[in-house]
Amino acid sequence: MTYAHWKPEIDNDNICWLHLDVANSSTNILSSAVLDELLKVLDELSQSLPKGIVFVSDKSNGFIAGADINEFTVIKTYDEAMTMLNRGHAVMNKIEAMPCTTVAMIKGFCLGGGMELALACNYRIMCDDASTRVGLPEIKLGIHPGYGGSVRSILKAGPVAAMNAMLTGRMLKGRQAKGMGLVDELVPDRQLKRTAHYFVTTKPAPRTLGFKNKLMNHRLVRPLIANQMRKTVSAKASEKHYPAPYKLINLWQKHMDNPTRMLQKEAESVASLVTDYTAQNLVHVFFLQEKLKSQGKKSDFKPAHIHVIGGGVMGGDIAAWCALRGFNVTVQDREPSVLAATMKRSQDMFKKKFKKDKRSIRESLDRLIPDHRGIGVRHADIIIEAIFEDKDVKQTLYKVIEPQMKEGAILATNTSSIPLEKLATCLKQPERLVGVHFFNPVALMPLVEIVRGKNTSDEVMTQALAFGRQIDKLPLPVISKPGFLVNRILMPYLLEAVQMIEEGMAPEKIDQAALNFGMPMGPIELADTVGLDVCRSVAKILSENMNVSLPPRMDTLVDNKKLGKKTGEGFYKWSRGRPVKNKNVTFSNINDLENRMIFRLLNEAVACLREQVVENEDLIDAGVIFGTGFAPFRGGPLHHVHAEGVTEMKALLESLEQRYGDRFSPDKKWTSL
Ligand code: NAI
């Protein structure tokens, strides 16, 4: 029989190499159709019974990327979810029960449902190369493994290592996966086939769990370890907002004594999660992320050489980040001492990223060249300017460098507030100026705003978007309006928080109100972390164009050089990189505080939609989530407004307006949302 996705190929030794090449898809994903077909293939193979079955991918980009997330979006009821999960379980159980040896030959990404398939095989062979990774990242979508992966990973790697991998959802390199026992062998590409053949023919004894792991799986020990796990998880995510990790811990604690029952309970647990608010929204966020990634696909522009001017907080880190991502970079600053510090900081970034991988650290350092005299300007395909936030200073520089730039080279500015039109007035070719606005800290923030000025050409815009993606950031196209998208939406929220301090409220209480909503960090702690001087300068620029006024407390602190974390004091006192918080503050009646901050943010998001700062609602949601960390489980500010009901939300905003004044006046766009 021939199949659409699976291609069984029997060799001379009667081993079936079962190739997966999902039709009409660049990536192997386990959709219902692919799983249904696999059941048929396995039925057929049960009849002819080869000596063994080796699962192989025919896609160059990986083994199997996971289940089909699109299918999650159409599931509306618990029963529909159970149908999907039971199908997955039927397939995995069938693989496990095959009377012949089964091997997963993993090269490239093997994630989620793909890893669950691999775990159902007798053996897993992994390619020892940089692009091969395994993992169970379901938690990031608000669920946990649902095709038997929770049970099987714990049986293979023990509860602590397996639960840790599932609770963080992180991807594992070959050595880690082998060390944990998740895979049986790690070999170079050229030996993959031979090793798979060897496992089929010799059937080495499978690894079993050691004494310690068996003990930790014991019914009397599990509650202790489970409590510890709950404690660790609760420091990162509350059960109310993110139920999946807690459900996974419960599942293991209650049912590990009976793996068959645990498989059934696993499916029930995921079925209840998948239709839930959090998972639905996290799936929405996953697609928002894909949307941002696709913004970078409209051009194949790839710079051979990047030149960064300004080696300060931002320029230094941008240069280091680009070198880390594999580009040749020169970095220029008028101060040689700044460049020395830039190189030191870059080395720290590389070490943090690559850890013990000395080769990658050395190669990244080799790609980053300090260039005091700016020789790189003539060779660069893109020049990123990150010097002082001053129009005249920037223009003086542009006049010097423009005549030296290569034909077709892009001039990108990291300005956070100066309109591009104003900067472009001194240029002979203003169409080559584009904003590439990074966020601080560069290595951690996934978003980069790609700013279109009035003169920016379409070609330069698409090239800059492609560049953003190539350095592994999420590029968001925005137009050149004050504050662009992210700072503009964030600032009213921050200023409302400062206003409440002005009214005598404790910073701890204000921060807690934001955490209750699901923000990753309170606004007062955030302002201290970013630096109150930076906040004030952005707020000042925005206040010229928007209905925001600067609370005097901000001025007083900045004038007294109390800038936050970097000076050891701002709204909080800081000790060892952490704010010292008053533990005696009580958190009663903080709903109003939460509403005041969040509604200013939501109202500004609506205003940005009206002014078309970005193309559509999804891009606003994506920008605010990836640029500010806005509670991902709510799916973004505008998604949240729709979920709660536009009319109800507008009425709440109006009640805030009555009590606190016109900074809460609903934007005109509310009526046509
Ligand atoms: P910074 O003061 O840390 O660094 C600026 C660097 O530029 C200094 O090392 C200075 O010596 C150098 N410089 C100044 N004029 C120069 C010239 N003509 N030629 C060569 N080097 C020159 O400033 P920071 O914070 O890195 O900001 C740079 C740009 O990035 C600004 O436009 C700022 O608005 C923007 N930005 C800053 C963010 C932040 O959080 N600090 C966030 C996003 C954007």
mmCIF file of all heavy atoms in Angstrom, residues 309-316 318 332-335 338-339 342 372 385-390 393-394 396-397 413-418 436-441 487 530 534 537, ligand 1:
data_model
loop_
_atom_site.group_PDB
_atom_site.id
_atom_site.type_symbol
_atom_site.label_atom_id
_atom_site.label_comp_id
_atom_site.label_asym_id
_atom_site.label_seq_id
_atom_site.Cartn_x
_atom_site.Cartn_y
_atom_site.Cartn_z
ATOM 1 N N ILE A 309 27.625 51.789 15.527
ATOM 2 C CA ILE A 309 28.289 53.003 16.047
ATOM 3 C C ILE A 309 27.687 53.350 17.402
ATOM 4 O O ILE A 309 26.475 53.537 17.534
ATOM 5 C CB ILE A 309 28.146 54.191 15.077
ATOM 6 C CG1 ILE A 309 28.538 53.761 13.660
ATOM 7 C CG2 ILE A 309 29.004 55.365 15.556
ATOM 8 C CD1 ILE A 309 28.504 54.869 12.639
ATOM 9 N N GLY A 310 28.543 53.446 18.403
ATOM 10 C CA GLY A 310 28.125 53.636 19.795
ATOM 11 C C GLY A 310 28.300 52.300 20.503
ATOM 12 O O GLY A 310 27.635 51.324 20.161
ATOM 13 N N GLY A 311 29.234 52.268 21.442
ATOM 14 C CA GLY A 311 29.505 50.997 22.138
ATOM 15 C C GLY A 311 28.983 51.037 23.567
ATOM 16 O O GLY A 311 29.459 50.317 24.432
ATOM 17 N N GLY A 312 27.959 51.877 23.805
ATOM 18 C CA GLY A 312 27.420 52.038 25.163
ATOM 19 C C GLY A 312 26.492 50.906 25.554
ATOM 20 O O GLY A 312 26.605 49.777 25.045
ATOM 21 N N VAL A 313 25.546 51.226 26.435
ATOM 22 C CA VAL A 313 24.613 50.224 26.960
ATOM 23 C C VAL A 313 23.976 49.434 25.815
ATOM 24 O O VAL A 313 23.994 48.204 25.790
ATOM 25 C CB VAL A 313 23.503 50.932 27.779
ATOM 26 C CG1 VAL A 313 22.428 49.952 28.202
ATOM 27 C CG2 VAL A 313 24.096 51.641 28.973
ATOM 28 N N MET A 314 23.436 50.163 24.844
ATOM 29 C CA MET A 314 22.694 49.489 23.779
ATOM 30 C C MET A 314 23.615 49.038 22.642
ATOM 31 O O MET A 314 23.607 47.871 22.266
ATOM 32 C CB MET A 314 21.609 50.416 23.219
ATOM 33 C CG MET A 314 20.524 50.743 24.200
ATOM 34 S SD MET A 314 19.702 49.292 24.878
ATOM 35 C CE MET A 314 18.757 48.722 23.478
ATOM 36 N N GLY A 315 24.405 49.977 22.088
ATOM 37 C CA GLY A 315 25.254 49.651 20.938
ATOM 38 C C GLY A 315 26.172 48.473 21.243
ATOM 39 O O GLY A 315 26.316 47.556 20.418
ATOM 40 N N GLY A 316 26.785 48.481 22.425
ATOM 41 C CA GLY A 316 27.703 47.405 22.791
ATOM 42 C C GLY A 316 27.005 46.063 22.781
ATOM 43 O O GLY A 316 27.500 45.080 22.221
ATOM 44 N N ILE A 318 24.147 45.335 21.268
ATOM 45 C CA ILE A 318 23.638 44.997 19.926
ATOM 46 C C ILE A 318 24.765 44.366 19.102
ATOM 47 O O ILE A 318 24.580 43.341 18.439
ATOM 48 C CB ILE A 318 23.090 46.264 19.212
ATOM 49 C CG1 ILE A 318 21.859 46.805 19.946
ATOM 50 C CG2 ILE A 318 22.762 45.964 17.752
ATOM 51 C CD1 ILE A 318 21.428 48.199 19.516
ATOM 52 N N GLN A 332 32.080 50.693 16.708
ATOM 53 C CA GLN A 332 32.827 51.952 16.768
ATOM 54 C C GLN A 332 32.324 52.799 17.932
ATOM 55 O O GLN A 332 31.125 52.824 18.226
ATOM 56 C CB GLN A 332 32.579 52.702 15.445
ATOM 57 C CG GLN A 332 33.126 54.098 15.383
ATOM 58 C CD GLN A 332 32.696 54.808 14.087
ATOM 59 O OE1 GLN A 332 32.089 54.207 13.196
ATOM 60 N NE2 GLN A 332 33.008 56.090 14.009
ATOM 61 N N ASP A 333 33.246 53.490 18.604
ATOM 62 C CA ASP A 333 32.847 54.471 19.615
ATOM 63 C C ASP A 333 33.918 55.547 19.613
ATOM 64 O O ASP A 333 35.077 55.284 19.285
ATOM 65 C CB ASP A 333 32.725 53.824 21.000
ATOM 66 C CG ASP A 333 31.890 54.678 21.951
ATOM 67 O OD1 ASP A 333 32.377 55.748 22.398
ATOM 68 O OD2 ASP A 333 30.744 54.308 22.233
ATOM 69 N N ARG A 334 33.520 56.761 19.981
ATOM 70 C CA ARG A 334 34.528 57.827 19.981
ATOM 71 C C ARG A 334 35.494 57.650 21.143
ATOM 72 O O ARG A 334 36.572 58.224 21.157
ATOM 73 C CB ARG A 334 33.870 59.191 20.011
ATOM 74 C CG ARG A 334 32.788 59.261 21.065
ATOM 75 C CD ARG A 334 32.161 60.578 21.235
ATOM 76 N NE ARG A 334 31.633 60.557 22.594
ATOM 77 C CZ ARG A 334 31.212 61.584 23.259
ATOM 78 N NH1 ARG A 334 31.244 62.766 22.720
ATOM 79 N NH2 ARG A 334 30.761 61.448 24.483
ATOM 80 N N GLU A 335 35.104 56.865 22.133
ATOM 81 C CA GLU A 335 35.964 56.649 23.300
ATOM 82 C C GLU A 335 36.579 55.248 23.250
ATOM 83 O O GLU A 335 35.860 54.271 23.411
ATOM 84 C CB GLU A 335 35.138 56.729 24.596
ATOM 85 C CG GLU A 335 34.359 57.996 24.797
ATOM 86 C CD GLU A 335 35.233 59.111 25.329
ATOM 87 O OE1 GLU A 335 36.382 58.824 25.726
ATOM 88 O OE2 GLU A 335 34.760 60.257 25.321
ATOM 89 N N VAL A 338 35.554 53.035 26.086
ATOM 90 C CA VAL A 338 34.221 52.421 25.994
ATOM 91 C C VAL A 338 34.319 51.097 25.225
ATOM 92 O O VAL A 338 33.727 50.088 25.594
ATOM 93 C CB VAL A 338 33.220 53.373 25.293
ATOM 94 C CG1 VAL A 338 31.909 52.669 24.977
ATOM 95 C CG2 VAL A 338 32.960 54.602 26.144
ATOM 96 N N LEU A 339 35.138 51.129 24.144
ATOM 97 C CA LEU A 339 35.257 49.910 23.337
ATOM 98 C C LEU A 339 35.885 48.767 24.129
ATOM 99 O O LEU A 339 35.495 47.611 23.982
ATOM 100 C CB LEU A 339 36.084 50.198 22.080
ATOM 101 C CG LEU A 339 35.332 50.953 20.989
ATOM 102 C CD1 LEU A 339 36.224 51.141 19.763
ATOM 103 C CD2 LEU A 339 34.061 50.210 20.586
ATOM 104 N N THR A 342 33.203 47.425 26.128
ATOM 105 C CA THR A 342 32.269 46.693 25.260
ATOM 106 C C THR A 342 32.758 45.264 25.025
ATOM 107 O O THR A 342 31.988 44.304 25.090
ATOM 108 C CB THR A 342 32.161 47.400 23.884
ATOM 109 O OG1 THR A 342 31.772 48.735 24.098
ATOM 110 C CG2 THR A 342 31.162 46.714 22.976
ATOM 111 N N HIS A 372 37.765 51.747 16.411
ATOM 112 C CA HIS A 372 37.727 53.109 16.922
ATOM 113 C C HIS A 372 37.591 54.150 15.811
ATOM 114 O O HIS A 372 36.889 55.156 15.937
ATOM 115 C CB HIS A 372 38.998 53.349 17.759
ATOM 116 C CG HIS A 372 39.154 54.742 18.223
ATOM 117 N ND1 HIS A 372 38.132 55.425 18.857
ATOM 118 C CD2 HIS A 372 40.197 55.601 18.146
ATOM 119 C CE1 HIS A 372 38.553 56.639 19.156
ATOM 120 N NE2 HIS A 372 39.791 56.778 18.732
ATOM 121 N N GLU A 385 23.169 52.722 14.213
ATOM 122 C CA GLU A 385 23.634 53.865 15.014
ATOM 123 C C GLU A 385 22.960 53.806 16.381
ATOM 124 O O GLU A 385 21.728 53.745 16.482
ATOM 125 C CB GLU A 385 23.317 55.160 14.253
ATOM 126 C CG GLU A 385 23.486 56.432 15.037
ATOM 127 C CD GLU A 385 22.224 56.786 15.806
ATOM 128 O OE1 GLU A 385 21.140 56.893 15.188
ATOM 129 O OE2 GLU A 385 22.334 56.922 17.051
ATOM 130 N N ALA A 386 23.787 53.810 17.446
ATOM 131 C CA ALA A 386 23.253 53.788 18.816
ATOM 132 C C ALA A 386 24.059 54.759 19.676
ATOM 133 O O ALA A 386 24.632 54.378 20.697
ATOM 134 C CB ALA A 386 23.300 52.374 19.381
ATOM 135 N N ILE A 387 24.151 56.009 19.200
ATOM 136 C CA ILE A 387 24.891 57.009 19.991
ATOM 137 C C ILE A 387 23.881 57.829 20.798
ATOM 138 O O ILE A 387 22.700 57.492 20.854
ATOM 139 C CB ILE A 387 25.782 57.905 19.081
ATOM 140 C CG1 ILE A 387 24.933 58.750 18.125
ATOM 141 C CG2 ILE A 387 26.767 57.045 18.300
ATOM 142 C CD1 ILE A 387 25.711 59.821 17.394
ATOM 143 N N PHE A 388 24.363 58.916 21.417
ATOM 144 C CA PHE A 388 23.501 59.672 22.330
ATOM 145 C C PHE A 388 22.163 60.051 21.698
ATOM 146 O O PHE A 388 22.083 60.320 20.495
ATOM 147 C CB PHE A 388 24.198 60.968 22.774
ATOM 148 C CG PHE A 388 25.481 60.721 23.503
ATOM 149 C CD1 PHE A 388 26.610 61.492 23.239
ATOM 150 C CD2 PHE A 388 25.573 59.716 24.464
ATOM 151 C CE1 PHE A 388 27.798 61.262 23.911
ATOM 152 C CE2 PHE A 388 26.757 59.491 25.139
ATOM 153 C CZ PHE A 388 27.872 60.262 24.846
ATOM 154 N N GLU A 389 21.155 60.114 22.549
ATOM 155 C CA GLU A 389 19.795 60.423 22.081
ATOM 156 C C GLU A 389 19.686 61.939 21.870
ATOM 157 O O GLU A 389 19.082 62.664 22.676
ATOM 158 C CB GLU A 389 18.785 59.917 23.124
ATOM 159 C CG GLU A 389 17.330 59.990 22.697
ATOM 160 C CD GLU A 389 16.960 59.010 21.591
ATOM 161 O OE1 GLU A 389 17.844 58.452 20.941
ATOM 162 O OE2 GLU A 389 15.756 58.830 21.377
ATOM 163 N N ASP A 390 20.282 62.439 20.796
ATOM 164 C CA ASP A 390 20.298 63.874 20.528
ATOM 165 C C ASP A 390 20.316 64.051 19.016
ATOM 166 O O ASP A 390 21.200 63.538 18.322
ATOM 167 C CB ASP A 390 21.570 64.468 21.166
ATOM 168 C CG ASP A 390 21.670 65.961 20.980
ATOM 169 O OD1 ASP A 390 21.554 66.445 19.823
ATOM 170 O OD2 ASP A 390 21.875 66.661 21.977
ATOM 171 N N VAL A 393 23.530 65.645 17.458
ATOM 172 C CA VAL A 393 24.698 64.743 17.529
ATOM 173 C C VAL A 393 24.564 63.640 16.479
ATOM 174 O O VAL A 393 25.504 63.313 15.757
ATOM 175 C CB VAL A 393 24.823 64.128 18.951
ATOM 176 C CG1 VAL A 393 25.950 63.106 19.001
ATOM 177 C CG2 VAL A 393 25.043 65.216 19.982
ATOM 178 N N LYS A 394 23.356 63.092 16.376
ATOM 179 C CA LYS A 394 23.143 62.010 15.406
ATOM 180 C C LYS A 394 23.339 62.539 13.980
ATOM 181 O O LYS A 394 23.981 61.901 13.151
ATOM 182 C CB LYS A 394 21.735 61.410 15.571
ATOM 183 C CG LYS A 394 21.585 60.525 16.848
ATOM 184 C CD LYS A 394 20.276 59.755 16.852
ATOM 185 C CE LYS A 394 19.865 59.138 18.168
ATOM 186 N NZ LYS A 394 20.528 57.944 18.624
ATOM 187 N N THR A 396 25.097 65.099 12.920
ATOM 188 C CA THR A 396 26.507 65.390 12.637
ATOM 189 C C THR A 396 27.209 64.106 12.189
ATOM 190 O O THR A 396 27.988 64.097 11.228
ATOM 191 C CB THR A 396 27.191 65.947 13.916
ATOM 192 O OG1 THR A 396 26.399 66.997 14.416
ATOM 193 C CG2 THR A 396 28.594 66.446 13.626
ATOM 194 N N LEU A 397 26.887 63.025 12.876
ATOM 195 C CA LEU A 397 27.489 61.730 12.513
ATOM 196 C C LEU A 397 27.024 61.289 11.119
ATOM 197 O O LEU A 397 27.835 60.877 10.284
ATOM 198 C CB LEU A 397 27.099 60.672 13.555
ATOM 199 C CG LEU A 397 27.533 59.246 13.224
ATOM 200 C CD1 LEU A 397 29.026 59.061 13.496
ATOM 201 C CD2 LEU A 397 26.739 58.220 14.020
ATOM 202 N N THR A 413 18.778 53.344 12.809
ATOM 203 C CA THR A 413 19.001 54.028 14.082
ATOM 204 C C THR A 413 18.252 53.320 15.204
ATOM 205 O O THR A 413 17.140 52.831 15.007
ATOM 206 C CB THR A 413 18.567 55.513 14.018
ATOM 207 O OG1 THR A 413 18.631 56.047 15.348
ATOM 208 C CG2 THR A 413 17.143 55.690 13.500
ATOM 209 N N ASN A 414 18.889 53.319 16.373
ATOM 210 C CA ASN A 414 18.264 52.690 17.550
ATOM 211 C C ASN A 414 17.530 53.744 18.396
ATOM 212 O O ASN A 414 17.171 53.483 19.540
ATOM 213 C CB ASN A 414 19.355 51.997 18.372
ATOM 214 C CG ASN A 414 18.786 51.160 19.501
ATOM 215 O OD1 ASN A 414 17.825 50.423 19.320
ATOM 216 N ND2 ASN A 414 19.357 51.284 20.689
ATOM 217 N N THR A 415 17.300 54.905 17.823
ATOM 218 C CA THR A 415 16.645 55.958 18.621
ATOM 219 C C THR A 415 15.349 55.446 19.249
ATOM 220 O O THR A 415 14.607 54.694 18.631
ATOM 221 C CB THR A 415 16.340 57.204 17.763
ATOM 222 O OG1 THR A 415 15.697 58.162 18.609
ATOM 223 C CG2 THR A 415 15.403 56.900 16.599
ATOM 224 N N SER A 416 15.094 55.893 20.495
ATOM 225 C CA SER A 416 13.843 55.446 21.094
ATOM 226 C C SER A 416 12.789 56.537 21.029
ATOM 227 O O SER A 416 11.641 56.296 21.382
ATOM 228 C CB SER A 416 14.064 54.986 22.538
ATOM 229 O OG SER A 416 14.935 55.842 23.201
ATOM 230 N N SER A 417 13.159 57.735 20.572
ATOM 231 C CA SER A 417 12.156 58.792 20.621
ATOM 232 C C SER A 417 12.214 59.851 19.526
ATOM 233 O O SER A 417 11.252 60.579 19.338
ATOM 234 C CB SER A 417 12.252 59.489 21.984
ATOM 235 O OG SER A 417 13.554 59.985 22.158
ATOM 236 N N ILE A 418 13.317 59.920 18.790
ATOM 237 C CA ILE A 418 13.380 61.019 17.801
ATOM 238 C C ILE A 418 12.701 60.566 16.494
ATOM 239 O O ILE A 418 13.053 59.522 15.949
ATOM 240 C CB ILE A 418 14.847 61.416 17.513
ATOM 241 C CG1 ILE A 418 15.579 61.665 18.832
ATOM 242 C CG2 ILE A 418 14.902 62.650 16.613
ATOM 243 C CD1 ILE A 418 17.062 61.890 18.688
ATOM 244 N N VAL A 436 15.694 50.674 13.947
ATOM 245 C CA VAL A 436 15.789 49.297 14.438
ATOM 246 C C VAL A 436 15.894 49.430 15.951
ATOM 247 O O VAL A 436 16.978 49.615 16.494
ATOM 248 C CB VAL A 436 16.995 48.563 13.809
ATOM 249 C CG1 VAL A 436 17.153 47.173 14.393
ATOM 250 C CG2 VAL A 436 16.817 48.438 12.302
ATOM 251 N N HIS A 437 14.728 49.417 16.593
ATOM 252 C CA HIS A 437 14.668 49.778 18.011
ATOM 253 C C HIS A 437 14.700 48.541 18.902
ATOM 254 O O HIS A 437 13.719 47.806 18.984
ATOM 255 C CB HIS A 437 13.393 50.602 18.272
ATOM 256 C CG HIS A 437 13.263 51.069 19.680
ATOM 257 N ND1 HIS A 437 12.109 50.935 20.418
ATOM 258 C CD2 HIS A 437 14.165 51.641 20.509
ATOM 259 C CE1 HIS A 437 12.302 51.430 21.630
ATOM 260 N NE2 HIS A 437 13.535 51.851 21.710
ATOM 261 N N PHE A 438 15.862 48.330 19.513
ATOM 262 C CA PHE A 438 16.040 47.185 20.414
ATOM 263 C C PHE A 438 15.560 47.557 21.813
ATOM 264 O O PHE A 438 15.436 48.731 22.146
ATOM 265 C CB PHE A 438 17.524 46.815 20.506
ATOM 266 C CG PHE A 438 18.078 46.175 19.264
ATOM 267 C CD1 PHE A 438 18.502 46.940 18.183
ATOM 268 C CD2 PHE A 438 18.193 44.793 19.185
ATOM 269 C CE1 PHE A 438 19.030 46.346 17.044
ATOM 270 C CE2 PHE A 438 18.723 44.191 18.049
ATOM 271 C CZ PHE A 438 19.135 44.967 16.984
ATOM 272 N N PHE A 439 15.354 46.534 22.631
ATOM 273 C CA PHE A 439 14.962 46.766 24.024
ATOM 274 C C PHE A 439 16.072 46.308 24.960
ATOM 275 O O PHE A 439 16.850 45.424 24.616
ATOM 276 C CB PHE A 439 13.638 46.048 24.333
ATOM 277 C CG PHE A 439 12.504 46.626 23.554
ATOM 278 C CD1 PHE A 439 12.226 46.200 22.265
ATOM 279 C CD2 PHE A 439 11.732 47.649 24.086
ATOM 280 C CE1 PHE A 439 11.215 46.767 21.520
ATOM 281 C CE2 PHE A 439 10.713 48.221 23.347
ATOM 282 C CZ PHE A 439 10.453 47.779 22.063
ATOM 283 N N ASN A 440 16.099 46.912 26.104
ATOM 284 C CA ASN A 440 17.152 46.668 27.079
ATOM 285 C C ASN A 440 16.657 45.673 28.143
ATOM 286 O O ASN A 440 15.578 45.892 28.683
ATOM 287 C CB ASN A 440 17.483 48.023 27.732
ATOM 288 C CG ASN A 440 18.675 47.964 28.639
ATOM 289 O OD1 ASN A 440 19.365 46.966 28.693
ATOM 290 N ND2 ASN A 440 18.897 49.051 29.361
ATOM 291 N N PRO A 441 17.370 44.612 28.467
ATOM 292 C CA PRO A 441 18.646 44.144 27.924
ATOM 293 C C PRO A 441 18.482 43.369 26.600
ATOM 294 O O PRO A 441 17.608 42.511 26.483
ATOM 295 C CB PRO A 441 19.164 43.193 29.025
ATOM 296 C CG PRO A 441 17.952 42.745 29.767
ATOM 297 C CD PRO A 441 16.905 43.807 29.614
ATOM 298 N N ASN A 487 6.932 51.454 24.005
ATOM 299 C CA ASN A 487 7.122 52.473 25.050
ATOM 300 C C ASN A 487 5.876 53.326 25.215
ATOM 301 O O ASN A 487 5.520 53.734 26.314
ATOM 302 C CB ASN A 487 8.309 53.386 24.719
ATOM 303 C CG ASN A 487 9.623 52.683 25.005
ATOM 304 O OD1 ASN A 487 9.646 51.676 25.717
ATOM 305 N ND2 ASN A 487 10.706 53.201 24.458
ATOM 306 N N VAL A 530 14.864 49.608 34.840
ATOM 307 C CA VAL A 530 15.218 50.274 33.570
ATOM 308 C C VAL A 530 16.096 51.501 33.854
ATOM 309 O O VAL A 530 16.999 51.833 33.086
ATOM 310 C CB VAL A 530 13.929 50.704 32.823
ATOM 311 C CG1 VAL A 530 14.246 51.587 31.626
ATOM 312 C CG2 VAL A 530 13.151 49.485 32.386
ATOM 313 N N VAL A 534 16.163 57.037 32.373
ATOM 314 C CA VAL A 534 15.686 56.595 31.060
ATOM 315 C C VAL A 534 14.160 56.767 30.983
ATOM 316 O O VAL A 534 13.625 57.315 30.013
ATOM 317 C CB VAL A 534 16.076 55.112 30.803
ATOM 318 C CG1 VAL A 534 15.509 54.628 29.478
ATOM 319 C CG2 VAL A 534 17.592 54.949 30.819
ATOM 320 N N SER A 537 13.218 60.414 30.543
ATOM 321 C CA SER A 537 13.426 61.031 29.234
ATOM 322 C C SER A 537 12.397 60.524 28.215
ATOM 323 O O SER A 537 11.920 61.306 27.394
ATOM 324 C CB SER A 537 14.868 60.863 28.766
ATOM 325 O OG SER A 537 15.085 59.539 28.400
HETATM 326 P P1 NAI B 1 25.036 55.302 26.022
HETATM 327 O O1 NAI B 1 25.269 56.658 26.533
HETATM 328 O O2 NAI B 1 25.213 54.158 26.949
HETATM 329 O O3 NAI B 1 25.982 55.032 24.788
HETATM 330 C C1 NAI B 1 26.191 55.935 23.752
HETATM 331 C C2 NAI B 1 27.606 55.720 23.245
HETATM 332 O O4 NAI B 1 27.757 56.441 22.028
HETATM 333 C C3 NAI B 1 28.686 56.250 24.197
HETATM 334 O O5 NAI B 1 29.595 55.208 24.482
HETATM 335 C C4 NAI B 1 29.371 57.363 23.406
HETATM 336 O O6 NAI B 1 30.772 57.421 23.658
HETATM 337 C C5 NAI B 1 29.073 56.969 21.981
HETATM 338 N N1 NAI B 1 29.042 58.078 21.052
HETATM 339 C C6 NAI B 1 28.396 59.261 21.182
HETATM 340 N N2 NAI B 1 28.586 60.015 20.085
HETATM 341 C C7 NAI B 1 29.345 59.293 19.238
HETATM 342 C C8 NAI B 1 29.874 59.529 17.929
HETATM 343 N N3 NAI B 1 29.630 60.657 17.282
HETATM 344 N N4 NAI B 1 30.613 58.567 17.358
HETATM 345 C C9 NAI B 1 30.864 57.419 18.018
HETATM 346 N N5 NAI B 1 30.405 57.137 19.249
HETATM 347 C C10 NAI B 1 29.651 58.062 19.857
HETATM 348 O O7 NAI B 1 23.578 55.320 25.401
HETATM 349 P P2 NAI B 1 22.528 54.127 25.185
HETATM 350 O O8 NAI B 1 21.672 53.983 26.367
HETATM 351 O O9 NAI B 1 23.265 52.955 24.667
HETATM 352 O O10 NAI B 1 21.606 54.709 24.043
HETATM 353 C C11 NAI B 1 22.008 54.743 22.698
HETATM 354 C C12 NAI B 1 20.799 54.896 21.805
HETATM 355 O O11 NAI B 1 19.926 53.816 22.040
HETATM 356 C C13 NAI B 1 19.970 56.140 22.064
HETATM 357 O O12 NAI B 1 19.483 56.598 20.835
HETATM 358 C C14 NAI B 1 18.832 55.637 22.952
HETATM 359 O O13 NAI B 1 17.670 56.410 22.847
HETATM 360 C C15 NAI B 1 18.617 54.280 22.384
HETATM 361 N N6 NAI B 1 17.982 53.321 23.269
HETATM 362 C C16 NAI B 1 18.344 53.201 24.588
HETATM 363 C C17 NAI B 1 17.749 52.266 25.416
HETATM 364 C C18 NAI B 1 18.179 52.103 26.843
HETATM 365 O O14 NAI B 1 17.492 51.391 27.602
HETATM 366 N N7 NAI B 1 19.282 52.690 27.262
HETATM 367 C C19 NAI B 1 16.685 51.384 24.904
HETATM 368 C C20 NAI B 1 16.426 51.539 23.492
HETATM 369 C C21 NAI B 1 17.037 52.489 22.734
#
